[in-house]
Amino acid sequence: MDYNESGPQVPEFLQPIVAQYQKYTRLYNYHVDRLAPHTRNRWLSTVALNGLFLLRVVMAQGWYIVCYAHAIYLLNLLLAFLQPKFDPSLEQDIAATNIEEGGEEEALPTVGSGFANKDDEEFRPFIRRLPEWQFWLSATRSTVISLVAAFFTAFDIPVFWPILVIYFFALFAITMRRQIRHMIKYKYIPFDFVRKERYGGARR
């Protein structure tokens, strides 16, 4: 494969295929980006797709392992959506290490908490580890893939589905309890309900 200043050069016989791929990629990104402002409609469409997928699973009485994998993936996305981009526990560990090495002790702000510190009235918005747009896009892609997989018998692996349901809800309860404890310990809220109250002006 030849190389030029911009990177590896595509062989001549593959250039038409690459050009078509780039064309459809740009077209896909264009139409997807147009959906960004329509948050409610986007999520309603994703919920509808999930409803179709669940209907397919219930009516066909199969593809439980696909449904379980899809649910676990959505749970991971939800946790990333609720977590701050900068972990406060990691910042405290760094600050403690700095103090042990002889550095000065610094105040530890609640990064991305959505609250102002007691000594600092500056508002610090909550910065998510997984932005809402990426959350929706990943969830929608997973739903579409799961819905397509539910029409192929190769993915219909026999499994005792009540065990999967019990295990998923147990995992959901454990992970959400851990997340709530983390939120309480480091005093942050993954939503900006306080913003309007803080910046909306004094009550009349």
Side-chain angles (χ1 to χ4, degrees):
M1 182 178 291
D2 297 333
Y3 286 81
N4 53 23
E5 296 180 355
S6 59
Q9 185 177 2
V10 179
E12 185 176 354
F13 70 95
L14 289 178
Q15 289 181 359
I17 299 177
V18 174
Q20 288 296 320
Y21 172 78
Q22 294 176 346
K23 173 185 175 182
Y24 287 112
T25 300
R26 288 193 297 267
L27 187 63
Y28 166 79
N29 292 332
Y30 169 74
H31 288 291
V32 169
D33 291 341
R34 291 183 62 185
L35 299 175
H38 310 286
T39 305
R40 192 171 91 176
N41 293 334
R42 286 192 283 108
W43 282 104
L44 287 176
S45 301
T46 303
V47 171
L49 285 174
N50 277 279
L52 289 175
F53 171 65
L54 291 177
L55 183 63
R56 169 63 179 170
V57 171
V58 172
M59 296 296 294
Q61 296 184 357
W63 290 275
Y64 299 118
I65 196 67
V66 175
C67 184
Y68 174 75
H70 177 56
I72 291 295
Y73 182 70
L74 292 182
L75 178 60
N76 289 331
L77 292 178
L78 177 62
L79 289 177
F81 178 72
L82 296 177
Q83 293 172 354
K85 183 176 182 180
F86 306 102
D87 193 348
S89 60
L90 181 60
E91 292 186 351
Q92 289 191 356
D93 292 340
I94 295 176
T97 302
N98 186 31
I99 294 174
E100 292 177 357
E101 293 177 352
E104 296 182 357
E105 182 176 1
E106 298 180 356
L108 295 175
T110 53
V111 178
S113 62
F115 291 96
N117 290 342
K118 294 181 179 180
D119 300 331
D120 185 3
E121 292 300 326
E122 180 184 357
F123 179 81
R124 292 184 175 87
F126 182 83
I127 303 176
R128 303 182 186 279
R129 186 158 68 91
L130 181 67
E132 181 271 333
W133 168 255
Q134 292 296 329
F135 181 22
W136 170 80
L137 193 59
S138 299
T140 305
R141 286 174 178 171
S142 175
T143 306
V144 172
I145 293 173
S146 300
L147 185 59
V148 172
F151 287 93
F152 292 91
T153 56
F155 298 103
D156 188 13
I157 302 174
V159 65
F160 187 59
W161 66 267
I163 293 296
L164 296 181
V165 174
I166 294 174
Y167 184 74
F168 172 76
F169 280 107
L171 184 63
F172 178 82
I174 293 173
T175 52
M176 292 308 298
R177 182 177 63 179
R178 184 182 305 169
Q179 176 64 26
I180 292 174
R181 286 180 177 177
H182 191 270
M183 291 164 54
I184 295 174
K185 180 178 181 180
Y186 296 104
K187 300 179 181 179
Y188 68 90
I189 297 179
F191 304 100
D192 55 356
F193 297 126
V194 185
R195 181 177 300 176
K196 294 182 179 178
E197 179 180 349
R198 185 171 298 279
Y199 286 109
R203 294 182 179 177
R204 297 180 181 178

